[in-house]
Structure formats: structure tokens, C-alpha cells
Amino acid sequence: MAHTNPYSIGLDKNPANYVALSPLSFLERTAAVYPDRIALVYGTLRQSWRDTALRCRRLASALAQRGVGRGDTVAVMLPNVPAMFEAHFGVPMCGAVLNTLNTRLDAEAIAFMLQHGEAKVLLTDREFAPVVRKALAMVGERRPLVIEVEDALAPPGDHLGELSYEALLAEGDPAYAWELPPDEWDAIALNYTSGTTGNPKGVVTHHRGAYLNAANNVIAWSLPHHPVYLWTLPLFHCNGWCFAWTMALVAGTSVCLRRVDPALIYPLIREHRVTHMCGAPIVYSMLVSAPDGLREGITHTVQGLIAGAAPPAAVIEACEASGIALTHVYGLTEVYGPASVCAKQEAWQSLPAEEQARLNGRQGVPYPLQEAIAVLDPETMQPVPADGETMGEIFFRGNVVMKGYLKNPSATEEAFAGGWFHTGDLAVMHPDGYVKIKDRSKDIIISGGENISSIEVEDALHRHPAVMMVAVVAMPDAKWGEVPCAFVELKDGQSVEEADLIAFCRGQLARFKVPKRVVFGSLPKTSTGKIQKFQLRERMHSASAID
């Protein structure tokens, strides 16, 4: 006789005991509990959570009245301004999917994304009018409704769009009765990866994952109620690592910022007593390299999340000395931004600063609500030994992993092969269970049969006081096959000779890992601060770029 589970009889989901998880619920709670607390600061604007919720409902209502609904795409080409924050709530409130566009991309890439994502509406800023105009011309008949977000702090530029953002909001109902998605698996956002070849892939994320990762940020970072968060991280990048939704969860204050510049950042930290910020290593390198006078009058510690590339230990040390306490997180667009954290241990506090920086520079352990991070052999899908030496690929599994790639089943199947999400990052597992990235699979340098981690060489060069940024790539070599070549960007006012940097590395690295050439100059970067190594590799084929 088959066993009957008594817990499955008459105990079903119903409206009283089950609702879909969505970060939209955070907004309504905070607007009700803390209506008068400031949600947004921008220039002279001080906008409460009550008014923010009203404006988000107006946006959702206006979009719905224009026929935008479940499964439709609303694209935004905006800097970190209040409208960008509001779109993270107003767009999904009407059931639509938010597509935040990388504001540094060219017209061809933007046109592809508008067409591939089938955007029905585009919110844009006049700073980007030249690129947007070209992109719209390429889109042709499938041109979305263009809404211009007018901003007194924007640089001069042409006006685009059929109507303004404020006019659109005026059409909406502030009491719009929005609903949670019928299924928490519904898409909430579309983010395109910054592919170096071919068309980018459209990463689709869902309400459930956005809810969980917004909460993850609070738990992993011990985020208190009412933090003051400075938007040094682009909101278009992985939806700002879900921090718009996180700020709604903890009733925080978001200090908006059009562009990353220490001359703008330090006054905002001082005036608003900013408590938290996020960014790539380049953001923190800029801050610690800025003139000391900019930091005058700032006596409190700022908590910072750092990710985007493996941060050099030297940057972590310099930030700690400058009053910025860093926590290292790691992730990708496909896992909503950060999905692992280098969770700090109390015992580390008694160690020398250099050793603390080394430990804190690891990619760490899973976020609390992410099921697992693992370092596996990509061929056998078995764990590599936890010896800190054996390299494998990083894999993620859990509720904070994308639905898949839009209209790309083959890429989705490949990404999820074996029941894990494949990151393409090579790493080791340390005995204490902490992951440490060694390289992207395409960035590893194989010299005379020996694997050289470009990140290890970059870490060594970052310790030189004259170095601002560095990228190491493989250079063809007749004897060894390939050897390291370092591209170095120096701090303002600093100078150093190639031979001196090579000698400096010899004091820290095995001889075969030392760069054979050093090329000085500005490094090509993405809008999120990642160095575009593929451009540096292209330079390798031009003798004039090196000699």
C-alpha cells in the first residue's frame, strides 16, 4: 500500500499563506512605515519615501495606460539619477521588464539591445542624445516610445523624445493598484553582458532572485537600518547589484551621482555622512589617490563593497588606511551581481595589515541566500582539492542565478551544463573553504608549459607606489610560447622606468612570472571600471604599440 503524506492533504497554497517574492514589496512597506525619511538626495532634491512610492506608482500607471504590461520591455539609458532609481520599481510594478542600458556603449550596440529586447519604451537623458539618436535610426520602424528625463544637472545636449518624464508621470495615478507578479519566476530585468566579440547576451533575472539578493546584501554586509548610500556603482550594471531594492528594504537614503569623480564624491560623503558605497577597484584607486585635501573633515569610516575584478591587496590596504573599510564580493551579471563574499573572520584582525589584505582579497564563500559556490574540474565536474594550488573553474548554484539568456537556448544550455552555472573564471579552493580567483580562462598565460596567473603578476605591480592601474596579458615569445607583458597606468605626477618595475617584480615573483615588457599609458576600461584586455591583446600584434 502506497504511503500517503498527511502533510500534503488539504494544506495547499492560498492567498493567506503564500505570496510571490518580489522586491517591489519592500517599497510599499518602507513608504508606510518610514514615509517621511529621505529616500533620494540629488543636488537640492530631498525626496521622501512617501513621495518616491507615489512617483513609482504614477510611472507604473502611465506605462500601463500606454499598453505596457507583463512581458513588455522598458529600456532606460540613464546615469545614476532619481528617475533611474524610480524605474527599478515603477517599471516592474506594471508587469514590465526593466532593461538598463550601458551608457558607455556605441549606437550599434544600443540599437541591437533595443531590437533584441523589443523595447516598447525608452527613457533617456540628453547627455546621451548623439548615441541614442543614431541607435533609434538603426532601429527603424520598431522605434520605442522615447521619454526624456530632464535634468538641470545634465550637460548641454539635444532634446529627444515624444514627451518628458515628468509629463509621463503626470498621466499616471498615484493610487495605482499594482499587483505582485502572478509568478515570482516572472522576469524583472534584462541585462546585457559586455561581450568582446559578437553580440552581447541578454541575461534575464526574476523577481524571486532580485528579492533574495536584495536581502543578501543586507545579511552579508550587516547593513543597518537607514544607511546613507552613495551611488558610485552604475545602476545600469546588474541593476546596481540589486541595491536600489536593498535601499527600499532597509529604508536607506540614496545619494545620487551622475559621474564618478573624487572631487564630487568626498564633498557628498562629508555633507551627507555617507555610510556605504560600492564600486570596482578603479573607483577606490581613484579615491585613495586623490589629493589629501579632499578628505579633510571626514572623520567617520565608510563601508565599501569592492568587486568587478580581483582587487589588488595594495588597494585594500590603502583604503583601510584612508578610512574606507572594504568587503570583497564576487559575482557576474548572471548571478545578479555579487553572489559570494569574503566573509571576515575575527581572528584576522590580529594579523598584519598585509596578511589581512591578502585574506580579504579572496572571492570567499556563498552569499547567505545563494546555495553554493564551488571550484570544479570543468571536464569531470568534480571538486578540485582544497589545497589553494589546484585550479578549476568557479561554478554557482542556487536561487540567485538567472533564468537564462533571452532568445538564446544554446548559450543557456551551455551555461547550465551539469547542473551548475559556469562562470569561466579559474580559481583555487583554499583549505578554509574560501575561493580565490586566479584568472579568467582566456587570461591565463602558459609560458613553457607553466601556468602564470595574470592576477598574481598584477597584484605584485600594484604594490609599487607609482602604479595606479595595471593589466597583464600574454605576449608571444619564440622560446617560451608566451610570456607576461604588463600595461601600466601611473598615478598623476609619478614616473618610473620599465627596468625598475621589472626589478621590483623580481623581488616578489618567481622569475618565470616576471613581465618581460612594460608598456606605459592609459588603460582601456569599460564603464564599470574593468580593463578591456582584449584591446591590449590587439596591441600586442602591433610592434609600434610596444616599442
Side-chain angles (χ1 to χ4, degrees):
M1 182 176 177
H3 173 70
T4 301
N5 182 355
Y7 294 100
S8 65
I9 301 173
L11 303 176
D12 302 318
K13 293 177 184 176
N14 64 69
N17 66 19
Y18 177 84
V19 295
L21 299 182
S22 171
L24 303 181
S25 61
F26 301 151
L27 176 64
E28 292 295 359
R29 179 183 185 276
T30 286
V33 179
Y34 304 106
D36 297 319
R37 291 200 70 92
I38 299 300
L40 294 167
V41 171
Y42 183 58
T44 58
L45 174 72
R46 304 292 184 272
Q47 185 170 296
S48 70
W49 276 108
R50 176 193 292 109
D51 290 341
T52 299
L54 291 174
R55 288 173 61 83
C56 291
R57 287 191 217 112
R58 282 186 179 278
L59 174 57
S61 172
L63 290 172
Q65 289 178 41
R66 288 177 172 269
V68 178
R70 188 182 185 197
D72 290 327
T73 304
V74 175
V76 295
M77 183 81 164
L78 297 172
N80 287 352
V81 293
M84 179 62 140
F85 186 93
E86 293 167 354
H88 277 75
F89 297 91
V91 170
M93 274 178 162
C94 72
V97 178
L98 179 66
N99 175 207
T100 54
L101 300 170
N102 185 328
T103 59
R104 299 288 182 84
L105 294 178
D106 57 26
E108 289 78 10
I110 296 298
F112 168 80
M113 293 172 186
L114 292 175
Q115 290 178 306
H116 186 261
E118 302 179 37
K120 294 186 70 171
V121 178
L122 170 65
L123 274 59
T124 188
D125 182 282
R126 68 169 177 259
E127 179 179 352
F128 314 121
V131 170
V132 171
R133 180 181 289 106
K134 288 181 184 178
L136 291 172
M138 296 176 190
V139 170
E141 294 181 0
R142 300 195 67 172
R143 172 189 173 107
L145 171 69
V146 181
I147 309 295
E148 181 176 345
V149 175
E150 296 177 324
D151 180 3
L153 300 182
D158 295 336
H159 293 276
L160 291 178
E162 284 88 317
L163 75 164
S164 72
Y165 180 68
E166 294 303 324
L168 177 70
L169 261 60
E171 297 176 359
D173 180 1
Y176 175 66
W178 66 276
E179 296 179 351
L180 288 169
D183 186 344
E184 60 190 19
W185 184 250
D186 276 9
I188 191 172
L190 170 66
N191 290 279
Y192 283 92
T193 60
S194 53
T196 56
T197 57
N199 289 323
K201 297 190 288 288
V203 174
V204 181
T205 54
H206 48 71
H207 283 257
R208 175 182 176 83
Y211 178 102
L212 292 171
N213 224 37
N216 259 332
N217 289 332
V218 179
I219 301 166
W221 208 9
S222 299
L223 202 62
H225 264 70
H226 317 309
V228 180
Y229 181 85
L230 179 62
W231 277 103
T232 43
L233 176 75
L235 261 162
F236 69 68
H237 181 51
C238 308
N239 299 107
W241 300 353
C242 298
F243 268 95
W245 300 314
T246 296
M247 286 301 102
L249 174 58
V250 293
T253 297
S254 286
V255 180
C256 297
L257 182 69
R258 281 192 73 96
R259 62 188 174 89
V260 173
D261 182 343
L264 301 174
I265 291 171
Y266 279 118
L268 290 174
I269 291 175
R270 184 165 41 246
E271 179 183 356
H272 302 291
R273 287 195 63 82
V274 167
T275 59
H276 294 77
M277 60 185 288
C278 296
I282 179 58
V283 173
Y284 296 101
S285 293
M286 291 169 61
L287 289 175
V288 297
S289 301
D292 291 340
L294 288 177
R295 292 194 287 270
E296 288 182 1
I298 300 174
T299 58
H300 67 286
T301 298
V302 177
Q303 301 292 326
L305 283 191
I306 184 168
V315 172
I316 296 177
E317 285 184 63
C319 283
E320 296 288 344
S322 300
I324 302 174
L326 291 182
T327 297
H328 182 201
V329 292
Y330 161 73
L332 304 90
T333 305
E334 289 89 342
V335 290
Y336 298 72
S340 73
V341 57
C342 190
K344 297 179 181 180
Q345 303 285 344
E346 289 183 12
W348 297 354
Q349 297 175 10
S350 61
L351 299 173
E354 183 176 336
E355 177 63 9
Q356 286 190 48
R358 185 190 68 79
L359 292 169
N360 285 325
R362 298 180 296 174
Q363 281 60 44
V365 295
Y367 248 29
L369 304 179
Q370 179 67 289
E371 186 65 27
I373 182 173
V375 181
L376 310 177
D377 181 317
E379 298 298 324
T380 65
M381 297 300 288
Q382 294 301 308
V384 302
D387 56 11
E389 297 290 338
T390 307
M391 272 202 292
E393 183 180 345
I394 299 180
F395 293 84
F396 278 107
R397 173 185 283 169
N399 294 301
V400 190
V401 175
M402 66 172 179
K403 287 168 70 86
Y405 297 115
L406 183 67
K407 304 175 186 175
N408 198 336
S410 61
T412 300
E413 183 179 357
E414 183 180 350
F416 292 149
W420 290 83
F421 168 64
H422 299 233
T423 69
D425 285 327
L426 300 181
V428 297
M429 179 68 77
H430 282 272
D432 61 359
Y434 282 60
V435 171
K436 171 62 177 177
I437 284 183
K438 289 298 183 181
D439 235 325
R440 291 289 295 174
S441 56
K442 63 179 179 292
D443 293 338
I444 206 77
I445 301 166
I446 305 174
S447 185
E450 296 280 359
N451 286 350
I452 301 173
S453 163
S454 65
I455 292 174
E456 182 182 359
V457 183
E458 289 161 3
D459 269 351
L461 283 163
H462 267 111
R463 291 197 168 278
H464 194 283
V467 172
M468 175 74 170
M469 295 194 74
V470 59
V472 172
V473 299
M475 178 174 70
D477 183 84
K479 181 178 181 180
W480 302 109
E482 55 189 29
V483 293
C485 175
F487 288 81
V488 174
E489 185 174 320
L490 297 177
K491 295 177 181 176
D492 289 342
Q494 297 288 326
S495 64
V496 65
E497 297 296 324
E498 177 185 26
D500 294 333
L501 280 184
I502 291 175
F504 180 78
C505 286
R506 284 187 181 134
Q508 303 185 66
L509 298 167
R511 194 171 185 85
F512 75 94
K513 297 180 180 180
V514 173
K516 301 302 183 285
R517 298 298 303 270
V518 177
V519 183
F520 295 100
S522 179
L523 299 181
K525 308 173 191 73
T526 68
S527 56
T528 58
K530 294 181 181 178
I531 297 170
Q532 296 176 304
K533 286 190 174 182
F534 73 95
Q535 291 194 22
L536 300 179
R537 291 189 190 93
E538 291 172 1
R539 293 186 198 176
M540 301 301 304
H541 297 292
S542 171
S544 61
I546 299 175
D547 296 335

